[in-house]
């Protein structure tokens, strides 16, 4: 069981759902230490006063905000407590919106919300209501002296909290957008065909961290006393003619694959349109008859997707 990193409640209207917050991500990072090369002893760090050039004990270190260069406002725990606003111990839902309207650029990190002991019924009530509505609950919450925007949704029978960036944290695109460039119809048609040849359903288990695997192999080899050699660098080739590059790419990918996907996608899209008019209970019944695995934990959108794939 993972350790809860925050406890509080979800609030919508006059209803409160006591919950515990868990990180949904367990990254497989390789952690490297800095050591002294000659004796392999770990390198330590000290908090040093830049003015006195000597170490400072922890009880003399305080937080401060720099207003102007060299001008600091010292902060105490009481100052942070005084700034507490809505969301300090509550994830307060202010709006319900279609989840697909949230641009992925706003997503920062994902958390799971589990029920507190004794709050299972009201948790299940919110879960079912979110699931049946197909909407996401937009909310604010405070964690570690910072307020966040969040989106509550259902994933595999658990309420999930997507930490979002605020709108003013998203950088504008004006300086990055390329200038308008003329693209021929032939180039565009071939580029679209190339995309079709690689199109398919998202299967996350298909993608592996090959760089981490390669590093692990190198670490094992060095531990065994083997020499590790860097592969020779390849010379960069001049950019090929765009049309020739597109043609070669399409041939390498296999042209028939895209056509098969187009036919399959047309069938699935028609099935989705028909299914979207049904209620959640009607979809549940169809999924039962079709023997769709995991149907009891699926949201309405997930049922539509599963049934359209089975069509």
């Amino acid at each position: 069981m993972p350790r809860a990193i925050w406890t509080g409640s979800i609030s919508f209207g006059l209803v409160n759902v006591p919950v515990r917050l868990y990180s949904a991500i367990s990254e497989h990072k390789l952690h490297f230490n800095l050591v002294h090369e000659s004796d392999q002893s770990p390198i330590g760090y000290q908090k040093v006063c830049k003015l006195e050039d000597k170490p400072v004990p922890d009880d003399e270190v305080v937080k401060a905000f720099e207003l102007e260069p060299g001008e600091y406002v010292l902060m105490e725990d009481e100052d942070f407590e005084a700034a507490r606003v809505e969301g300090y111990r509550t994830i307060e839902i202010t709006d319900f919106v279609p989840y697909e309207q949230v641009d992925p650029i706003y997503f920062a990190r994902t958390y799971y919300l589990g029920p507190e002991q004794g709050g299972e019924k009201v948790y299940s009530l919110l879960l079912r209501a979110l699931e049946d509505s197909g909407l996401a609950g937009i909310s604010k919450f405070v964690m570690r002296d910072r307020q966040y925007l969040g989106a509550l949704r259902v994933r595999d029978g658990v309420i999930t909290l997507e930490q979002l960036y605020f709108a003013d944290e998203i950088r504008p695109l004006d300086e990055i957008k390329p200038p308008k460039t003329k693209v021929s119809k032939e180039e565009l048609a071939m580029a679209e065909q190339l995309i079709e040849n690689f199109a398919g359903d998202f299967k996350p288990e298909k993608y592996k961290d090959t760089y981490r695997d390669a590093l692990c192999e190198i670490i094992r080899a060095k531990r065994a006393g083997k020499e590790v050699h860097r592969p020779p660098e390849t010379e960069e080739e001049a950019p090929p003619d765009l049309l020739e590059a597109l043609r070669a790419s399409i041939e390498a990918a296999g042209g028939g694959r895209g056509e098969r996907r187009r036919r399959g996608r047309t069938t699935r899209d028609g099935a989705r349109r028909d299914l979207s008019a049904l209620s959640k209970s009607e979809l549940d019944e169809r999924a039962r008859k079709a023997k769709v695995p995991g149907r009891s934990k699926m949201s309405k959108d997930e049922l539509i997707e599963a049934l359209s794939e089975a069509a």
Side-chain angles (χ1 to χ4, degrees):
M1 184 71 180
R3 182 177 62 87
I5 58 178
W6 184 92
T7 58
S9 63
I10 302 171
S11 171
F12 64 111
L14 299 178
V15 179
N16 283 288
V17 185
V19 292
R20 289 176 174 268
L21 185 75
Y22 306 90
S23 175
I25 307 301
S26 177
E27 294 183 276
H28 296 157
K29 289 183 178 179
L30 294 177
H31 297 281
F32 294 92
N33 297 312
L34 296 178
V35 300
H36 189 196
E37 186 176 12
S38 61
D39 57 17
Q40 297 188 13
S41 59
I43 301 297
Y45 292 93
Q46 291 181 320
K47 295 173 183 176
V48 176
C49 174
K50 293 183 178 180
L51 180 63
E52 300 175 339
D53 195 26
K54 65 180 184 180
V56 178
D58 287 342
D59 60 359
E60 293 183 15
V61 177
V62 298
K63 290 182 180 179
F65 184 84
E66 189 174 19
L67 286 172
E68 301 289 344
E71 181 185 349
Y72 294 94
V73 176
L74 302 185
M75 301 291 289
E76 300 178 2
D77 292 342
E78 291 80 5
D79 298 319
F80 291 99
E81 293 174 3
R84 290 175 181 170
V85 290
E86 75 275 10
Y88 173 63
R89 280 294 176 195
T90 305
I91 301 170
E92 185 174 354
I93 301 174
T94 57
D95 302 283
F96 289 94
V97 303
Y99 183 68
E100 60 272 15
Q101 288 185 4
V102 184
D103 189 322
I105 197 172
Y106 288 98
F107 296 145
R109 191 172 180 85
T110 303
Y111 298 95
Y112 292 143
L113 287 168
E116 278 274 34
Q117 189 172 2
E120 291 83 0
K121 181 176 180 179
V122 67
Y123 178 95
S124 298
L125 173 64
L126 175 58
L127 188 150
R128 287 294 303 274
L130 279 173
E131 196 171 35
D132 290 350
S133 71
L135 301 176
I138 303 301
S139 58
K140 286 184 184 179
F141 65 101
V142 174
M143 184 170 62
R144 295 168 184 160
D145 295 326
R146 184 180 171 187
Q147 188 177 62
Y148 297 96
L149 191 65
L152 295 169
R153 66 184 181 94
V154 176
R155 182 180 186 274
D156 291 338
V158 173
I159 298 176
T160 300
L161 174 64
E162 302 282 1
Q163 178 192 317
L164 306 177
Y165 293 110
F166 287 101
D168 59 3
E169 293 181 294
I170 306 300
R171 288 176 174 166
L173 300 171
D174 299 338
E175 297 180 1
I176 304 172
K177 283 183 180 179
K180 288 187 177 180
T181 306
K182 187 175 181 180
V183 177
S184 72
K185 290 183 179 179
E186 185 181 6
E187 289 171 335
L188 182 57
M190 295 185 74
E192 290 174 348
Q193 184 181 346
L194 181 58
I195 290 173
E196 279 292 335
N197 286 343
F198 285 96
D201 296 321
F202 178 56
K203 298 178 180 178
E205 65 278 2
K206 172 182 174 182
Y207 308 98
K208 308 295 181 183
D209 186 349
T210 54
Y211 179 69
R212 179 182 181 274
D213 292 342
L215 274 179
C216 288
E217 287 293 328
I218 290 171
I219 291 169
R220 284 191 285 267
K222 297 197 73 169
R223 184 185 185 190
K226 298 178 182 178
E227 289 189 8
V228 177
H229 300 284
R230 184 175 63 180
E233 294 185 6
T234 56
E235 293 184 6
E236 292 187 10
E237 298 180 0
D241 176 77
L242 181 56
L243 278 176
E244 287 301 319
L246 286 168
R247 287 193 186 98
S249 299
I250 290 170
E251 291 174 3
R257 179 181 167 192
E259 184 58 36
R260 288 193 301 272
R261 292 196 185 282
R262 275 194 293 273
R263 288 197 297 267
R265 189 174 295 117
T266 300
T267 302
R268 290 195 299 269
D269 289 346
R272 285 192 186 96
R273 284 193 294 271
D274 294 338
L275 292 167
S276 62
L278 301 177
S279 66
K280 177 71 162 48
S281 59
E282 290 172 324
L283 290 168
D284 283 329
E285 179 62 21
R286 289 203 180 191
R288 185 186 65 79
K289 291 180 179 179
K291 297 181 179 179
V292 173
R295 58 188 177 273
S296 62
K297 297 180 180 179
M298 289 184 178
S299 65
K300 182 177 180 179
D301 288 341
E302 288 170 335
L303 284 169
I304 291 173
E305 180 69 22
L307 288 168
S308 61
E309 289 290 338

